[in-house]
Short mmCIF file of all heavy atoms in Angstrom, two decimals:
data_model
loop_
_atom_site.label_atom_id
_atom_site.label_comp_id
_atom_site.label_asym_id
_atom_site.label_seq_id
_atom_site.Cartn_x
_atom_site.Cartn_y
_atom_site.Cartn_z
N ARG A 1402 -194.72 -27.77 56.41
CA ARG A 1402 -195.75 -28.25 57.37
C ARG A 1402 -195.82 -27.22 58.49
O ARG A 1402 -194.88 -27.02 59.26
CB ARG A 1402 -195.36 -29.63 57.94
CG ARG A 1402 -196.30 -30.21 59.03
CD ARG A 1402 -197.74 -30.20 58.58
NE ARG A 1402 -198.59 -31.16 59.29
CZ ARG A 1402 -199.42 -30.87 60.29
NH1 ARG A 1402 -199.53 -29.60 60.74
NH2 ARG A 1402 -200.18 -31.79 60.84
N CYS A 1403 -196.96 -26.52 58.57
CA CYS A 1403 -197.21 -25.53 59.58
C CYS A 1403 -198.18 -26.06 60.64
O CYS A 1403 -198.80 -27.13 60.42
CB CYS A 1403 -197.79 -24.27 58.97
SG CYS A 1403 -196.75 -23.52 57.71
N ASP A 1404 -198.33 -25.36 61.72
CA ASP A 1404 -199.35 -25.70 62.69
C ASP A 1404 -200.40 -24.61 62.70
O ASP A 1404 -200.27 -23.60 63.43
CB ASP A 1404 -198.74 -25.87 64.09
CG ASP A 1404 -199.77 -26.32 65.14
OD1 ASP A 1404 -200.93 -26.51 64.77
OD2 ASP A 1404 -199.40 -26.48 66.32
N PHE A 1405 -201.42 -24.79 61.85
CA PHE A 1405 -202.52 -23.79 61.80
C PHE A 1405 -203.75 -24.29 62.52
O PHE A 1405 -204.90 -23.98 62.17
CB PHE A 1405 -202.86 -23.49 60.30
CG PHE A 1405 -201.76 -22.82 59.54
CD1 PHE A 1405 -201.59 -23.09 58.17
CD2 PHE A 1405 -200.91 -21.92 60.14
CE1 PHE A 1405 -200.60 -22.45 57.45
CE2 PHE A 1405 -199.90 -21.28 59.43
CZ PHE A 1405 -199.76 -21.55 58.07
N ASN A 1406 -203.51 -25.14 63.54
CA ASN A 1406 -204.63 -25.66 64.32
C ASN A 1406 -205.06 -24.61 65.35
O ASN A 1406 -204.77 -24.69 66.52
CB ASN A 1406 -204.15 -26.96 65.06
CG ASN A 1406 -205.32 -27.62 65.76
OD1 ASN A 1406 -206.47 -27.51 65.37
ND2 ASN A 1406 -204.99 -28.33 66.82
N VAL A 1407 -205.76 -23.61 64.81
CA VAL A 1407 -206.12 -22.41 65.61
C VAL A 1407 -207.58 -22.55 66.15
O VAL A 1407 -208.41 -23.23 65.53
CB VAL A 1407 -206.02 -21.12 64.77
CG1 VAL A 1407 -204.58 -20.81 64.50
CG2 VAL A 1407 -206.82 -21.23 63.45
N PRO A 1408 -207.86 -21.95 67.31
CA PRO A 1408 -209.21 -21.99 67.87
C PRO A 1408 -210.16 -21.15 67.00
O PRO A 1408 -209.86 -20.02 66.63
CB PRO A 1408 -209.07 -21.45 69.26
CG PRO A 1408 -207.81 -20.63 69.24
CD PRO A 1408 -206.92 -21.22 68.19
N MET A 1409 -211.36 -21.70 66.72
CA MET A 1409 -212.38 -21.00 65.93
C MET A 1409 -213.64 -20.82 66.77
O MET A 1409 -213.93 -21.65 67.63
CB MET A 1409 -212.75 -21.83 64.72
CG MET A 1409 -211.57 -22.17 63.79
SD MET A 1409 -211.43 -20.96 62.51
CE MET A 1409 -210.46 -21.87 61.34
N ASP A 1410 -214.42 -19.80 66.43
CA ASP A 1410 -215.74 -19.71 67.05
C ASP A 1410 -216.76 -20.41 66.16
O ASP A 1410 -216.41 -20.99 65.13
CB ASP A 1410 -216.16 -18.23 67.31
CG ASP A 1410 -216.34 -17.44 66.03
OD1 ASP A 1410 -216.52 -18.03 64.93
OD2 ASP A 1410 -216.27 -16.19 66.09
N GLU A 1411 -218.04 -20.39 66.57
CA GLU A 1411 -219.08 -21.14 65.81
C GLU A 1411 -219.31 -20.62 64.41
O GLU A 1411 -219.89 -21.31 63.56
CB GLU A 1411 -220.40 -21.18 66.62
CG GLU A 1411 -221.05 -19.85 66.91
CD GLU A 1411 -220.45 -19.12 68.12
OE1 GLU A 1411 -219.46 -19.67 68.70
OE2 GLU A 1411 -220.94 -18.02 68.45
N ASN A 1412 -218.84 -19.36 64.13
CA ASN A 1412 -218.99 -18.79 62.79
C ASN A 1412 -217.74 -18.92 61.94
O ASN A 1412 -217.56 -18.18 60.96
CB ASN A 1412 -219.42 -17.32 62.89
CG ASN A 1412 -220.72 -17.14 63.63
OD1 ASN A 1412 -221.68 -17.88 63.32
ND2 ASN A 1412 -220.76 -16.23 64.60
N GLN A 1413 -216.82 -19.80 62.32
CA GLN A 1413 -215.58 -20.02 61.63
C GLN A 1413 -214.66 -18.81 61.62
O GLN A 1413 -213.87 -18.59 60.69
CB GLN A 1413 -215.80 -20.46 60.16
CG GLN A 1413 -216.72 -21.68 59.97
CD GLN A 1413 -216.19 -22.87 60.77
OE1 GLN A 1413 -216.85 -23.23 61.74
NE2 GLN A 1413 -215.11 -23.44 60.39
N ASN A 1414 -214.77 -18.00 62.67
CA ASN A 1414 -213.83 -16.86 62.83
C ASN A 1414 -212.70 -17.33 63.75
O ASN A 1414 -212.94 -17.99 64.75
CB ASN A 1414 -214.53 -15.65 63.47
CG ASN A 1414 -215.60 -15.08 62.56
OD1 ASN A 1414 -215.39 -14.87 61.36
ND2 ASN A 1414 -216.80 -14.87 63.11
N ILE A 1415 -211.47 -16.97 63.41
CA ILE A 1415 -210.32 -17.33 64.23
C ILE A 1415 -210.29 -16.51 65.48
O ILE A 1415 -210.30 -15.29 65.45
CB ILE A 1415 -209.00 -17.15 63.40
CG1 ILE A 1415 -208.98 -18.10 62.21
CG2 ILE A 1415 -207.77 -17.33 64.27
CD1 ILE A 1415 -207.94 -17.83 61.19
N ARG A 1416 -210.25 -17.22 66.63
CA ARG A 1416 -210.25 -16.50 67.95
C ARG A 1416 -208.86 -16.08 68.36
O ARG A 1416 -208.68 -15.16 69.11
CB ARG A 1416 -210.89 -17.41 69.00
CG ARG A 1416 -212.40 -17.52 68.89
CD ARG A 1416 -213.04 -18.16 70.12
NE ARG A 1416 -212.83 -19.60 70.19
CZ ARG A 1416 -212.10 -20.21 71.06
NH1 ARG A 1416 -211.50 -19.52 72.04
NH2 ARG A 1416 -211.96 -21.52 71.09
N ASP A 1417 -207.84 -16.82 67.93
CA ASP A 1417 -206.46 -16.52 68.32
C ASP A 1417 -205.55 -16.93 67.16
O ASP A 1417 -205.46 -18.10 66.80
CB ASP A 1417 -206.10 -17.28 69.56
CG ASP A 1417 -204.71 -16.95 70.11
OD1 ASP A 1417 -203.95 -16.27 69.40
OD2 ASP A 1417 -204.40 -17.35 71.27
N ASN A 1418 -204.88 -15.94 66.57
CA ASN A 1418 -204.04 -16.23 65.35
C ASN A 1418 -202.58 -16.46 65.67
O ASN A 1418 -201.72 -16.46 64.78
CB ASN A 1418 -204.17 -15.07 64.34
CG ASN A 1418 -203.46 -13.80 64.82
OD1 ASN A 1418 -202.95 -13.74 65.93
ND2 ASN A 1418 -203.38 -12.83 63.94
N LYS A 1419 -202.26 -16.69 66.95
CA LYS A 1419 -200.86 -16.80 67.40
C LYS A 1419 -200.08 -17.84 66.58
O LYS A 1419 -198.94 -17.61 66.21
CB LYS A 1419 -200.85 -17.14 68.89
CG LYS A 1419 -199.50 -16.94 69.58
CD LYS A 1419 -199.64 -16.82 71.06
CE LYS A 1419 -200.25 -18.08 71.68
NZ LYS A 1419 -201.35 -17.86 72.56
N ARG A 1420 -200.68 -18.99 66.32
CA ARG A 1420 -199.98 -20.05 65.61
C ARG A 1420 -199.70 -19.67 64.14
O ARG A 1420 -198.71 -20.07 63.59
CB ARG A 1420 -200.77 -21.37 65.68
CG ARG A 1420 -200.68 -22.01 67.04
CD ARG A 1420 -201.45 -23.28 67.13
NE ARG A 1420 -201.21 -23.94 68.41
CZ ARG A 1420 -201.85 -25.02 68.84
NH1 ARG A 1420 -202.79 -25.55 68.11
NH2 ARG A 1420 -201.55 -25.54 70.01
N ILE A 1421 -200.58 -18.90 63.57
CA ILE A 1421 -200.38 -18.42 62.22
C ILE A 1421 -199.22 -17.43 62.18
O ILE A 1421 -198.33 -17.51 61.34
CB ILE A 1421 -201.68 -17.82 61.62
CG1 ILE A 1421 -202.77 -18.89 61.62
CG2 ILE A 1421 -201.44 -17.30 60.21
CD1 ILE A 1421 -204.17 -18.39 61.23
N VAL A 1422 -199.27 -16.48 63.11
CA VAL A 1422 -198.23 -15.51 63.25
C VAL A 1422 -196.84 -16.16 63.45
O VAL A 1422 -195.83 -15.73 62.88
CB VAL A 1422 -198.49 -14.50 64.38
CG1 VAL A 1422 -197.32 -13.59 64.69
CG2 VAL A 1422 -199.74 -13.66 64.05
N ALA A 1423 -196.83 -17.21 64.22
CA ALA A 1423 -195.57 -17.95 64.53
C ALA A 1423 -194.93 -18.53 63.27
O ALA A 1423 -193.73 -18.75 63.21
CB ALA A 1423 -195.80 -19.03 65.52
N ALA A 1424 -195.75 -18.80 62.22
CA ALA A 1424 -195.22 -19.39 60.98
C ALA A 1424 -194.63 -18.33 60.03
O ALA A 1424 -193.93 -18.69 59.07
CB ALA A 1424 -196.34 -20.18 60.26
N LEU A 1425 -194.94 -17.07 60.29
CA LEU A 1425 -194.57 -16.01 59.33
C LEU A 1425 -193.04 -15.86 59.06
O LEU A 1425 -192.65 -15.65 57.92
CB LEU A 1425 -195.15 -14.67 59.76
CG LEU A 1425 -196.70 -14.61 59.80
CD1 LEU A 1425 -197.14 -13.18 60.19
CD2 LEU A 1425 -197.31 -15.00 58.48
N PRO A 1426 -192.17 -15.93 60.08
CA PRO A 1426 -190.76 -15.77 59.77
C PRO A 1426 -190.22 -16.78 58.76
O PRO A 1426 -189.46 -16.41 57.85
CB PRO A 1426 -190.08 -15.96 61.14
CG PRO A 1426 -191.12 -15.53 62.14
CD PRO A 1426 -192.43 -16.01 61.53
N THR A 1427 -190.65 -18.02 58.85
CA THR A 1427 -190.21 -19.03 57.90
C THR A 1427 -190.78 -18.76 56.53
O THR A 1427 -190.06 -18.80 55.52
CB THR A 1427 -190.61 -20.46 58.39
OG1 THR A 1427 -189.94 -20.72 59.59
CG2 THR A 1427 -190.27 -21.52 57.34
N ILE A 1428 -192.07 -18.43 56.46
CA ILE A 1428 -192.72 -18.15 55.19
C ILE A 1428 -192.03 -16.95 54.52
O ILE A 1428 -191.74 -16.98 53.32
CB ILE A 1428 -194.22 -17.86 55.35
CG1 ILE A 1428 -194.95 -19.15 55.86
CG2 ILE A 1428 -194.88 -17.39 54.06
CD1 ILE A 1428 -196.38 -18.95 56.31
N GLN A 1429 -191.78 -15.89 55.29
CA GLN A 1429 -191.14 -14.70 54.72
C GLN A 1429 -189.72 -15.01 54.19
O GLN A 1429 -189.31 -14.51 53.16
CB GLN A 1429 -191.09 -13.59 55.77
CG GLN A 1429 -190.70 -12.21 55.25
CD GLN A 1429 -191.60 -11.72 54.14
OE1 GLN A 1429 -192.80 -11.62 54.30
NE2 GLN A 1429 -191.01 -11.44 52.95
N TYR A 1430 -188.99 -15.85 54.95
CA TYR A 1430 -187.63 -16.22 54.51
C TYR A 1430 -187.71 -16.91 53.15
O TYR A 1430 -186.89 -16.68 52.27
CB TYR A 1430 -187.01 -17.12 55.55
CG TYR A 1430 -185.57 -17.52 55.22
CD1 TYR A 1430 -184.48 -16.66 55.52
CD2 TYR A 1430 -185.28 -18.72 54.62
CE1 TYR A 1430 -183.19 -17.01 55.22
CE2 TYR A 1430 -183.98 -19.11 54.32
CZ TYR A 1430 -182.93 -18.24 54.61
OH TYR A 1430 -181.65 -18.60 54.32
N LEU A 1431 -188.69 -17.80 52.99
CA LEU A 1431 -188.85 -18.51 51.73
C LEU A 1431 -189.23 -17.59 50.60
O LEU A 1431 -188.76 -17.73 49.46
CB LEU A 1431 -189.88 -19.66 51.89
CG LEU A 1431 -189.51 -20.74 52.89
CD1 LEU A 1431 -190.68 -21.76 53.07
CD2 LEU A 1431 -188.26 -21.53 52.45
N LEU A 1432 -190.08 -16.63 50.90
CA LEU A 1432 -190.46 -15.61 49.91
C LEU A 1432 -189.21 -14.82 49.49
O LEU A 1432 -189.01 -14.54 48.30
CB LEU A 1432 -191.52 -14.64 50.44
CG LEU A 1432 -192.92 -15.21 50.58
CD1 LEU A 1432 -193.82 -14.22 51.35
CD2 LEU A 1432 -193.53 -15.53 49.20
N ASP A 1433 -188.37 -14.44 50.45
CA ASP A 1433 -187.17 -13.70 50.17
C ASP A 1433 -186.19 -14.48 49.31
O ASP A 1433 -185.28 -13.88 48.67
CB ASP A 1433 -186.44 -13.26 51.48
CG ASP A 1433 -187.28 -12.25 52.28
OD1 ASP A 1433 -188.21 -11.67 51.73
OD2 ASP A 1433 -187.01 -12.11 53.50
N ASN A 1434 -186.33 -15.80 49.34
CA ASN A 1434 -185.43 -16.66 48.53
C ASN A 1434 -186.14 -17.13 47.26
O ASN A 1434 -185.76 -18.17 46.68
CB ASN A 1434 -184.99 -17.82 49.40
CG ASN A 1434 -183.78 -17.46 50.26
OD1 ASN A 1434 -182.62 -17.54 49.82
ND2 ASN A 1434 -184.07 -17.03 51.47
N ASP A 1435 -187.18 -16.40 46.83
CA ASP A 1435 -187.87 -16.68 45.57
C ASP A 1435 -188.41 -18.09 45.48
O ASP A 1435 -188.43 -18.69 44.39
CB ASP A 1435 -186.92 -16.45 44.37
CG ASP A 1435 -186.44 -14.98 44.30
OD1 ASP A 1435 -187.27 -14.10 44.60
OD2 ASP A 1435 -185.28 -14.77 43.98
N CYS A 1436 -188.87 -18.64 46.57
CA CYS A 1436 -189.45 -19.98 46.54
C CYS A 1436 -190.93 -19.93 46.13
O CYS A 1436 -191.59 -18.95 46.32
CB CYS A 1436 -189.36 -20.62 47.93
SG CYS A 1436 -187.66 -20.88 48.48
N ALA A 1437 -191.35 -21.03 45.56
CA ALA A 1437 -192.82 -21.25 45.40
C ALA A 1437 -193.23 -22.09 46.63
O ALA A 1437 -192.62 -23.15 46.85
CB ALA A 1437 -193.07 -22.02 44.12
N ILE A 1438 -194.17 -21.62 47.39
CA ILE A 1438 -194.42 -22.18 48.70
C ILE A 1438 -195.77 -22.94 48.79
O ILE A 1438 -196.81 -22.35 48.40
CB ILE A 1438 -194.39 -21.09 49.78
CG1 ILE A 1438 -193.12 -20.30 49.75
CG2 ILE A 1438 -194.62 -21.65 51.19
CD1 ILE A 1438 -193.12 -18.96 50.48
N ILE A 1439 -195.70 -24.19 49.24
CA ILE A 1439 -196.92 -24.96 49.42
C ILE A 1439 -197.04 -25.24 50.92
O ILE A 1439 -196.18 -25.87 51.54
CB ILE A 1439 -196.85 -26.30 48.65
CG1 ILE A 1439 -196.60 -26.09 47.15
CG2 ILE A 1439 -198.10 -27.17 48.89
CD1 ILE A 1439 -196.17 -27.32 46.38
N LEU A 1440 -198.07 -24.68 51.51
CA LEU A 1440 -198.31 -24.85 52.97
C LEU A 1440 -199.30 -25.97 53.23
O LEU A 1440 -200.30 -26.09 52.51
CB LEU A 1440 -198.86 -23.55 53.55
CG LEU A 1440 -198.03 -22.27 53.33
CD1 LEU A 1440 -198.78 -21.05 53.90
CD2 LEU A 1440 -196.65 -22.35 53.97
N CYS A 1441 -199.05 -26.73 54.26
CA CYS A 1441 -200.02 -27.73 54.68
C CYS A 1441 -200.12 -27.75 56.22
O CYS A 1441 -199.16 -27.39 56.92
CB CYS A 1441 -199.70 -29.12 54.15
SG CYS A 1441 -198.25 -29.90 54.83
N SER A 1442 -201.32 -28.11 56.71
CA SER A 1442 -201.57 -28.19 58.16
C SER A 1442 -202.80 -29.04 58.43
O SER A 1442 -203.56 -29.36 57.51
CB SER A 1442 -201.79 -26.76 58.68
OG SER A 1442 -202.11 -26.81 60.06
N HIS A 1443 -202.97 -29.36 59.71
CA HIS A 1443 -204.26 -29.94 60.13
C HIS A 1443 -205.03 -28.84 60.87
O HIS A 1443 -204.47 -27.81 61.23
CB HIS A 1443 -204.02 -31.14 61.02
CG HIS A 1443 -203.59 -30.82 62.42
ND1 HIS A 1443 -202.30 -30.39 62.70
CD2 HIS A 1443 -204.25 -30.81 63.61
CE1 HIS A 1443 -202.22 -30.13 64.00
NE2 HIS A 1443 -203.37 -30.39 64.61
N LEU A 1444 -206.28 -29.12 61.09
CA LEU A 1444 -207.12 -28.23 61.92
C LEU A 1444 -208.17 -29.12 62.56
O LEU A 1444 -208.97 -29.78 61.87
CB LEU A 1444 -207.78 -27.14 61.08
CG LEU A 1444 -208.82 -26.24 61.83
CD1 LEU A 1444 -208.14 -25.43 62.94
CD2 LEU A 1444 -209.47 -25.26 60.86
N GLY A 1445 -208.17 -29.17 63.89
CA GLY A 1445 -209.18 -29.94 64.60
C GLY A 1445 -209.05 -31.46 64.38
O GLY A 1445 -207.95 -31.94 63.97
N ARG A 1446 -210.13 -32.17 64.59
CA ARG A 1446 -210.09 -33.63 64.43
C ARG A 1446 -211.24 -34.11 63.54
O ARG A 1446 -212.22 -34.68 64.00
CB ARG A 1446 -210.23 -34.29 65.83
CG ARG A 1446 -209.04 -34.00 66.70
CD ARG A 1446 -209.14 -34.68 68.03
NE ARG A 1446 -207.93 -34.42 68.85
CZ ARG A 1446 -207.82 -34.78 70.11
NH1 ARG A 1446 -208.74 -35.41 70.69
NH2 ARG A 1446 -206.71 -34.50 70.77
#
Side-chain angles (χ1 to χ4, degrees):
R1402 177 51 158 103
C1403 301
D1404 184 359
F1405 294 147
N1406 186 28
V1407 290
M1409 302 267 200
D1410 66 19
E1411 61 278 4
N1412 299 313
Q1413 305 306 108
N1414 296 311
I1415 294 168
R1416 286 192 285 113
D1417 185 348
N1418 72 353
K1419 195 161 59 230
R1420 286 180 173 172
I1421 300 173
V1422 171
L1425 297 182
T1427 296
I1428 294 170
Q1429 191 57 56
Y1430 182 83
L1431 297 174
L1432 287 172
D1433 293 343
N1434 278 273
D1435 299 322
C1436 296
I1438 305 166
I1439 302 166
L1440 305 176
C1441 69
S1442 177
H1443 75 286
L1444 175 63
R1446 294 182 179 175

